[in-house]
Amino acid sequence: MMFLKAFVVGGLICVIGQLLIDYTKLTPARILVLFVCVGVLLGGIGVYQPLIDFAGAGATVPLTGFGAALAKGVKEAVQQNGFLGVITGGFQACAAGVTVAVLSGLVVSMICKPKDK
């Protein structure tokens, strides 16, 4: 059942993204930024955590989950460090994921050869 919940919730988030691509003039880059900002907003007000508890990876893997993780990191860092946590919380919460993404991109760029158009 856990896999079905993750599939449905993650799929619905992807459907929203596809509808935005098909029916608006938003570029994919703007939609990605919108998803992160919506995740931060929903995570900041505490609405996204119940969705994460329900769907697991279906809610944490999409970019909205990244935004919610940023908001959660900032909340925790502000409670521990005060105002300085506003700056450091997001970095601490998502440093591992960003590092893996950058290093994966570096490895792929070394292995693959780009082609000119």
Side-chain angles (χ1 to χ4, degrees), residues 109 112-117:
S109 71
C112 300
K113 294 185 180 185
K115 297 179 182 176
D116 292 332
K117 288 186 176 185

Side-chain angles (χ1 to χ4, degrees), residues 50-64:
L51 185 63
I52 292 172
D53 295 339
F54 174 76
T60 58
V61 171
L63 283 173
T64 50

Side-chain angles (χ1 to χ4, degrees), residues 18-26:
Q18 189 63 48
L19 290 173
L20 288 172
I21 289 171
D22 290 344
Y23 295 110
T24 67
K25 293 186 178 187
L26 292 173

Side-chain angles (χ1 to χ4, degrees), residues 39-53:
V40 168
L41 179 67
L42 294 176
I45 61 175
V47 176
Y48 204 76
Q49 189 60 44
L51 185 63
I52 292 172
D53 295 339

Side-chain angles (χ1 to χ4, degrees), residues 73-89:
V74 169
K75 275 183 172 179
E76 291 172 358
V78 166
Q79 290 174 352
Q80 293 176 356
N81 304 329
F83 184 72
L84 186 61
V86 172
I87 299 168
T88 62

